[in-house]
Amino acid sequence: MKEAVLDGSDTPERRDVPEPTAAADATRVKKKTDWWSEVKGIFWLVIIVLGFHSFVAKPFYIPSESMLPGLRIGDRLVVSKFAYGWSFVSPTIPNPVAIFDSLVLHKQEDSWSVGLPFIHGRLFGSLPTRGDIAIVTPPGTQNDYIKRVVGLPGDTLAVRDGTVILNGKPVQRGPLHYIDIPIDTNSPCTDYGDQARVRTPNGQWVCHLPIVTETLPNGRRYDTVEMGWSPGDNYPAITIPADHVFLMGDNRDRSADSRFSLAELGLGGPVPYENIGGRAEFVTFSLDGDTTLNPVTWWTSLRSGRAGLSLHPTTVKTGHGTAP
């Protein structure tokens, strides 16, 4: 009887199966999360972010119309922290209690940061240039305001019938003209009377605002809103003390600034330059206020033409020379 012979095609494929090893068994064991390393990583990330915000640059949100027409509610800016050196208002120190009260308990909080006590002087400090848009913290508060630097130490300054008198000379004011700002949720145009709400030929509603262009002695030029008489149109003459600056909003009739007391939510006169937190550089983007939780609305609510807008005023040659 012949013995059956299997050819190669009938021979089952032979595979070498490795024997289990201790290393292979170890890979089957679920690795435990190193929570301490995770916490340390988050800690250093927070320190880096806060350090950048404190000493290099930070984002800033425009919550009011005090700097119209140049800045609108919903604008997001970049503020350079190093432009004038660093002072006691420079560090960004989170206040966990304020954050919890605001997000969880829905309490109204002025600031999410902890303020340091007043410390005289600035590290690598320098004065702003007249015409800069600066972030300022009113003395005794934790709030950030955004205003324009108009007066410097040693200047005599007054306001008469809406005209700034700087060192005995009226600041140059151009003719009255108008600017149209599109009306949206963040710019409702409710504080300027019904006559300011105008419909253009293409059907768009705009806020038709009267504008006067100011030119400072150093030639820096910017637009201001001129709505007629307001309590800030007259301010008695003062001499700005050393290491102080006088700031005003471009929306002159709707701005609480150095012309108004702290009790009136103003800046209380000239502000120590230690209270200057930085210089506004440019607009990163701007929202019209119609965003919702739906991500689609995040793009449709972006205002066109705002991203990258420089916040440095233009400079023209004047007969006043190149005063600071």
Side-chain angles (χ1 to χ4, degrees), residues 237-259:
I238 62 167
T239 299
I240 301 174
D243 295 332
H244 284 62
V245 293
F246 196 96
L247 302 104
M248 300 176 70
D250 291 348
N251 191 356
R252 292 292 163 79
D253 304 309
R254 301 289 189 277
S255 174
D257 45 43
S258 288
R259 296 170 294 171

Side-chain angles (χ1 to χ4, degrees), residues 61-88:
Y61 167 75
I62 299 299
S64 76
E65 295 184 334
S66 70
M67 286 296 289
L68 278 178
L71 289 175
R72 299 163 60 183
I73 295 177
D75 283 350
R76 269 67 171 180
L77 323 178
V78 166
V79 174
S80 61
K81 285 298 196 76
F82 55 86
Y84 312 125
W86 298 274
S87 72
F88 78 101

Side-chain angles (χ1 to χ4, degrees), residues 181-206:
I181 297 177
I183 293 176
D184 55 37
T185 301
N186 275 339
S187 296
C189 197
T190 55
D191 295 335
Y192 306 99
D194 293 338
Q195 70 278 5
R197 297 173 62 90
V198 175
R199 194 165 189 172
T200 62
N202 64 5
Q204 183 184 26
W205 285 96
V206 297

Side-chain angles (χ1 to χ4, degrees), residues 155-319:
D155 286 342
T156 58
L157 184 145
V159 182
R160 297 176 193 160
D161 298 326
T163 298
V164 178
I165 311 298
L166 198 56
N167 296 321
K169 297 180 179 179
V171 167
Q172 181 181 333
R173 288 164 57 88
L176 184 71
H177 59 285
Y178 287 82
I179 189 172
D180 292 335
I181 297 177
I183 293 176
D184 55 37
T185 301
N186 275 339
S187 296
C189 197
T190 55
D191 295 335
Y192 306 99
D194 293 338
Q195 70 278 5
R197 297 173 62 90
V198 175
R199 194 165 189 172
T200 62
N202 64 5
Q204 183 184 26
W205 285 96
V206 297
C207 200
H208 192 61
L209 295 180
I211 301 297
V212 170
T213 301
E214 280 189 355
T215 304
L216 293 172
N218 60 357
R220 304 189 88 183
R221 173 177 291 179
Y222 49 86
D223 288 337
T224 65
V225 179
E226 178 53 73
M227 295 301 301
W229 183 89
S230 71
D233 278 354
N234 290 284
Y235 185 82
I238 62 167
T239 299
I240 301 174
D243 295 332
H244 284 62
V245 293
F246 196 96
L247 302 104
M248 300 176 70
D250 291 348
N251 191 356
R252 292 292 163 79
D253 304 309
R254 301 289 189 277
S255 174
D257 45 43
S258 288
R259 296 170 294 171
F260 298 94
S261 68
L262 293 174
E264 297 172 295
L265 302 181
L267 297 177
V271 177
Y273 90 138
E274 288 90 348
N275 290 69
I276 301 295
R279 183 179 64 201
E281 302 293 347
F282 60 90
V283 176
T284 52
F285 64 95
S286 184
L287 298 175
D288 63 15
D290 290 336
T291 54
T292 67
L293 294 178
N294 183 351
V296 175
T297 65
W298 301 351
W299 297 105
T300 58
S301 65
L302 286 171
R303 290 173 174 146
S304 62
R306 301 294 293 170
L309 182 67
S310 173
L311 299 178
H312 294 213
T314 57
T315 302
V316 296
K317 292 183 179 180
T318 70

